[in-house]
Amino acid sequence: MSVGIEHFLTVGALLFCLGLAIALSKRNAIGVLMGVELMLNAVNLTLITFSRFAVSERPITGQAFAVFIITVAAAEAAVALALAVSVYRNRETVDVDQLNLLRS
Amino acid sequence: MLFLEAAPASAPTIDEAILWAIMLCPLVAWGLIAIYVRKIPVAAGYLAILGVGAACVLSYVTLFNVMDADGGIAIHSHEWFSAGDLVVNLGVRVDGLTAVMLVVVTTVAFLVQVYSTGYMQGDAGYGRYFAHMCLFTVSMLGLVLADNLFQMFIFWELVGLCSYLLIGFWFHKPSAAAAAKKAFIVTRIGDLGLLAALLLVWTRAGTFDVTAIQEWATSGEPEGYIVTLFALGLFAGAAGKSAQFPLHVWLPDAMEGPTPVSALIHAATMVAAGVYLVARFFPVFEASHDAAQFVAWIGAITALVAATIALVQTDVKRVLAYSTISQLGYMMLALGTFGYVAAIFHLFTHAFFKALLFLGSGSVNHATNTFDMRQMGGLKKYMPVTYWTFIIGSLSLAGIFPLAGFWSKDEILLDAWRHDRALWAIGLSVAFMTAFYMFRAIFLTFHGEYKGGQPVDHHDEDSHFHGDPAHPHESPWAMKGPLIVLSVPAIAAGWLAYDHLFKDFIEAALPHAESHGSTFEIGIAISSSVVAVAGIGAAWAVYMKRWVTSESIRATFAPFAIIFENKYYLDRIYEDLFVRTIFHRGWNALLQANDRYVVDGIVNGSGRLAREASSRLRVIQTGQVQSYGLGIVAGVIIIAVAVITANPL
């Protein structure tokens, strides 16, 4: 059995669903962030897959996109963690259920 | 009638600028008074006299010019604006009819302005008064000079506005304010008909031009009922303005205004605008005999109804008001019986002697502080000039040979006689009543013992009465002068009937002169004179000699007297039936219900809907980012599934 595009995409989709489930269900803000990271990486995996298997004039596009996402994800992680620390300092908790200031 | 066909009229050569200047002189005076000198009484008065006087001189220039041209027509028209097919012109039209109206309006307006400087002396609103009077003169001149119906309509409404402003001149008096509103609203009912006629003629004939409309109506091209509808629409407007039955109720109340206003607007000029309008579109009425018949009968009914009410009035000004309505009915009667010349001739003479009578009653008021004849009497020896001019006006109105009223009234009766004997009989009985009520007024006012007038109320700060009613005095020269001047045309204006002078001049304004034979018949003249003398004699017997007391006459004809005294219950019917029942209880209640249940229901309902819906929807607004995310994911999945199902691979 050779490893084809379906396998890569399936792994990508599973990873994405896992990340989504974590992001939506975790109560800890750090856990939610980790879920988001997982989703980003799932997307990266999918992009690389298409880049590898696609018949395209410029197959490098998908890879460049992935590198770009990794960079942005790093920045996002830094900002989000800083926010989490800031919220913890103010509210003594990082439980997202408690963070419902939007509800009047 | 050989000479009628001779000498086709040539167009008057008068400069267009002069025609516009007639309108502009009072307009400039109005502007200057309103903006600069409203607070300077003397300047306002002289400025108004100057403006109207200039217009008066130019009007006479125009008249002589048109006479030189044998009453030809000159039209100067300019396009004002156009929108699609609609082209509205701004122009002046001058012919015999216009020239006569110009002279009547400016002459009476000028004399009334002079008189007003005496009568309105010391009034707080002196400047405002002259501004309004100037504006009125402008509007009236614009109305008679207009060469198209649209322009006419604009000025028509403007004179209505001025009438409103001047009736309500002493607006702090509730009765004056109410009378002004009544005049405005009642004439508006008629104006609705005029507006309908305007729209009708636009959709059918596609023009507003007077000459074009006259040709259109007589061409036989439009269906008969269209012409009749158009004519009736015009007449509805005319009936409102000229106080024809059943829209006459506003005119007696309009006497709340200052007396010179009544003389100018509600006797000589504005109320004649309706007659002028019908005369201007006379060929339309000739083309529709049904409409003409209607006009004649409404005129006759008006003349009769108003004359009977005038018999029992105790206020001298109201006697004159009902007399005016009655004479306007006469003019309409003449127009309806195709007596075009007779109607305009009567308009012409009536303007002078009725203005004279109104100014005379104002002079009496100036001395006695009242219009109630029961508080007067014996004024003959105190006010000789007023007395004699009043006598001249009354004789002229009563139609006594050889004064002005005799000639014009006679022509009307002659036309009525040729057309319909019933109309003539009504006209003749009205002539009797006219003579009776005018001399009743004279005997009550000027003869017998003086009863002291109305004591001056010194607490009434608005009263500008100066003299002492207990010792009446003759009015100043500013007031006597116009009375004397006006009594000249009141005596002599009728002599223009001689040798068809007036008739030929006026008829040239019509597209086709239609002669009805001579304008004088000795039988008609004798019958109307006998009736007029009988009326005067009856008044003399009752109010001077007291052979029969008025009380006993009243007792004998009690049912009639009660009807007359209550003005045929028309005011009551309008007030109770139309205003209270139909408007307040019916229409207003309907509107109120609509407002309360439909409009408020929609407004409140939409508010309630928003509140209910949002109170249900707020449950899902948890403030939890994760639940929102869940919603987003669910939405994406639903869309994805839908797209995939719709586009299978």
Side-chain angles (χ1 to χ4, degrees):
Chain A
M1 187 188 99
S2 63
V3 178
I5 186 169
E6 302 91 350
H7 304 94
F8 287 101
L9 289 181
T10 312
V11 172
L14 282 173
L15 267 178
F16 187 86
C17 290
L18 225 74
L20 186 64
I22 293 167
L24 291 182
S25 60
K26 272 286 181 186
R27 295 175 69 190
N28 192 313
I30 307 294
V32 174
L33 278 174
M34 289 165 79
V36 172
E37 291 297 323
L38 210 52
M39 284 156 76
L40 285 166
N41 284 319
V43 171
N44 277 347
L45 183 57
T46 314
L47 286 168
I48 301 291
T49 307
F50 281 123
S51 170
R52 168 75 180 73
F53 287 94
V55 184
S56 166
E57 283 181 10
R58 275 185 286 177
I60 201 74
T61 312
Q63 296 178 28
F65 217 149
V67 172
F68 203 72
I69 290 177
I70 290 168
T71 319
V72 171
E76 179 250 319
V79 172
L81 281 171
L83 279 174
V85 171
S86 174
V87 166
Y88 183 76
R89 281 187 186 155
N90 279 299
R91 306 283 301 263
E92 298 267 304
T93 176
V94 283
D95 188 345
V96 290
D97 282 358
Q98 311 273 318
L99 303 178
N100 55 358
L101 269 174
L102 271 178
R103 188 177 196 178
S104 62
Chain B
M1 296 298 103
L2 264 177
F3 56 91
L4 264 184
E5 278 82 44
S10 56
T13 54
I14 187 137
D15 195 1
E16 188 189 352
I18 293 182
L19 298 174
W20 288 108
I22 293 175
M23 244 195 285
L24 281 177
C25 290
L27 187 69
V28 170
W30 169 67
L32 290 177
I33 295 170
I35 298 168
Y36 295 113
V37 297
R38 200 154 42 88
K39 303 284 180 210
I40 312 167
V42 180
Y46 286 120
L47 207 53
I49 290 174
L50 198 68
V52 177
C56 189
V57 170
L58 292 175
S59 296
Y60 278 97
V61 170
T62 310
L63 176 72
F64 291 128
N65 193 287
V66 179
M67 279 164 80
D68 281 344
D70 293 324
I73 305 168
I75 298 169
H76 303 279
S77 207
H78 309 278
E79 186 177 316
W80 180 18
F81 65 82
S82 62
D85 291 339
L86 178 74
V87 180
V88 176
N89 285 336
L90 198 60
V92 286
R93 172 199 171 100
V94 63
D95 55 23
L97 180 58
T98 308
V100 167
M101 289 298 291
L102 285 179
V103 164
V104 168
V105 171
T106 52
T107 309
V108 177
F110 175 71
L111 291 170
V112 165
Q113 305 276 43
V114 172
Y115 179 93
S116 300
T117 59
Y119 188 82
M120 299 300 286
Q121 191 78 53
D123 192 283
Y126 194 84
R128 180 164 57 92
Y129 171 84
F130 280 98
H132 288 342
M133 287 296 253
C134 281
L135 183 61
F136 169 77
T137 314
V138 178
S139 315
M140 193 67 207
L141 292 171
L143 173 61
V144 298
L145 278 167
D147 81 325
N148 63 71
L149 191 55
F150 194 90
Q151 195 181 340
M152 224 178 253
F153 186 69
I154 294 172
F155 287 107
W156 181 269
E157 295 299 339
L158 265 178
V159 291
L161 167 73
C162 295
S163 166
Y164 168 82
L165 290 173
L166 285 163
I167 295 169
F169 182 73
W170 288 315
F171 50 80
H172 44 76
K173 268 166 53 188
S175 58
K181 270 190 290 182
K182 184 173 177 182
F184 201 74
I185 292 167
V186 173
T187 50
R188 197 56 9 120
I189 295 168
D191 289 352
L192 199 64
L194 181 57
L195 191 60
L198 202 79
L199 297 175
L200 180 73
V201 81
W202 163 245
T203 50
R204 290 298 175 134
T207 178
F208 290 127
D209 188 66
V210 170
T211 321
I213 291 174
Q214 287 178 346
E215 280 165 10
W216 167 76
T218 46
S219 66
E221 173 198 333
E223 299 92 326
Y225 77 95
I226 293 289
V227 179
T228 306
L229 276 180
F230 175 57
L232 289 178
L234 285 179
F235 181 64
K241 227 17 136 225
S242 285
Q244 296 297 294
F245 181 87
L247 296 179
H248 66 273
V249 291
W250 65 270
L251 188 54
D253 288 22
M255 297 302 125
E256 289 291 343
T259 306
V261 168
S262 309
L264 177 60
I265 300 185
H266 306 118
T269 56
M270 189 195 81
V271 288
V275 179
Y276 169 77
L277 184 74
V278 175
R280 186 42 100 203
F281 291 96
F282 187 68
V284 178
F285 288 85
E286 275 185 318
S288 168
H289 281 240
D290 292 339
Q293 191 76 2
F294 185 73
V295 171
W297 276 101
I298 288 291
I301 292 168
T302 307
L304 189 65
V305 165
T308 51
I309 298 174
L311 294 176
V312 295
Q313 292 296 311
T314 54
D315 179 316
V316 63
K317 218 174 147 188
R318 295 210 171 219
V319 172
L320 293 175
Y322 280 107
S323 164
T324 303
I325 298 173
S326 177
Q327 298 303 310
L328 290 167
Y330 246 86
M331 294 174 208
M332 287 295 182
L333 166 63
L335 286 169
T337 53
F338 305 121
Y340 166 79
V341 175
I344 298 302
F345 195 24
H346 198 55
L347 189 165
F348 177 69
T349 57
H350 174 260
F352 294 118
F353 59 69
K354 189 52 71 67
L356 168 63
L357 288 170
F358 264 106
L359 295 183
S361 79
S363 178
V364 167
N365 168 252
H366 198 255
T368 63
N369 196 27
T370 181
F371 287 110
D372 193 336
M373 294 188 288
R374 290 169 299 189
Q375 295 177 333
M376 300 179 189
L379 289 173
K380 179 183 170 186
K381 68 170 179 251
Y382 302 109
M383 316 177 72
V385 175
T386 306
Y387 171 70
W388 285 110
T389 50
F390 206 88
I391 288 275
I392 290 169
S394 300
L395 287 172
S396 193
L397 174 56
I400 299 299
F401 180 86
L403 279 75
F406 168 79
W407 302 98
S408 53
K409 191 177 279 190
D410 220 57
E411 282 196 31
I412 291 178
L413 288 173
L414 186 62
D415 282 317
W417 169 262
R418 289 194 178 128
H419 194 78
D420 189 339
R421 299 290 144 91
L423 290 172
W424 172 77
I426 293 176
L428 201 64
S429 60
V430 171
F432 172 79
M433 285 186 260
T434 307
F436 182 83
Y437 65 64
M438 277 323 295
F439 278 83
R440 168 177 175 266
I442 286 175
F443 295 139
L444 286 177
T445 308
F446 293 102
H447 291 262
E449 288 297 308
Y450 184 56
K451 301 186 186 65
Q454 170 85 42
V456 178
D457 181 2
H458 290 289
H459 301 293
D460 183 7
E461 289 173 5
D462 300 320
S463 169
H464 60 278
F465 191 81
H466 296 304
D468 177 8
H471 302 97
H473 56 90
E474 184 60 281
S475 300
W477 270 106
M479 292 165 72
K480 270 189 291 188
L483 290 178
I484 295 165
V485 175
L486 272 173
S487 54
V488 174
I491 294 170
W495 300 341
L496 292 174
Y498 177 72
D499 205 17
H500 297 266
L501 214 59
F502 195 86
K503 181 176 160 66
D504 296 349
F505 182 58
I506 281 289
E507 272 190 341
L510 289 179
H512 50 92
E514 196 176 311
S515 180
H516 297 281
S518 79
T519 55
F520 190 77
E521 208 164 89
I522 194 72
I524 299 289
I526 289 175
S527 66
S528 66
S529 296
V530 166
V531 159
V533 172
I536 295 172
W540 184 72
V542 175
Y543 295 98
M544 280 297 282
K545 289 291 163 190
R546 300 188 187 279
W547 289 331
V548 196
T549 62
S550 56
E551 288 78 17
S552 68
I553 298 176
R554 194 192 174 285
T556 318
F557 299 102
F560 292 107
I562 289 168
I563 290 175
F564 298 161
E565 278 161 12
N566 285 295
K567 305 164 203 162
Y568 291 80
Y569 297 97
L570 276 177
D571 275 332
R572 199 83 67 75
I573 291 171
Y574 291 160
E575 180 76 20
D576 289 350
L577 183 66
F578 289 109
V579 177
R580 280 192 215 288
T581 310
I582 295 182
F583 275 101
H584 285 189
R585 294 222 192 94
W587 183 237
N588 284 9
L590 191 72
L591 290 183
Q592 199 186 6
N594 176 55
D595 227 29
R596 182 173 294 166
Y597 298 110
V598 180
V599 176
D600 284 6
I602 291 170
V603 172
N604 293 341
S606 61
R608 193 175 299 134
L609 183 74
R611 207 171 56 215
E612 295 282 317
S614 55
S615 75
R616 303 256 152 78
L617 284 172
R618 65 185 293 197
V619 179
I620 62 168
Q621 294 271 32
T622 56
Q624 300 285 349
V625 183
Q626 286 177 315
S627 63
Y628 298 159
L630 193 63
I632 294 169
V633 170
V636 168
I637 289 171
I638 289 168
I639 292 170
V641 168
V643 169
I644 291 167
T645 343
N647 307 294
L649 293 170

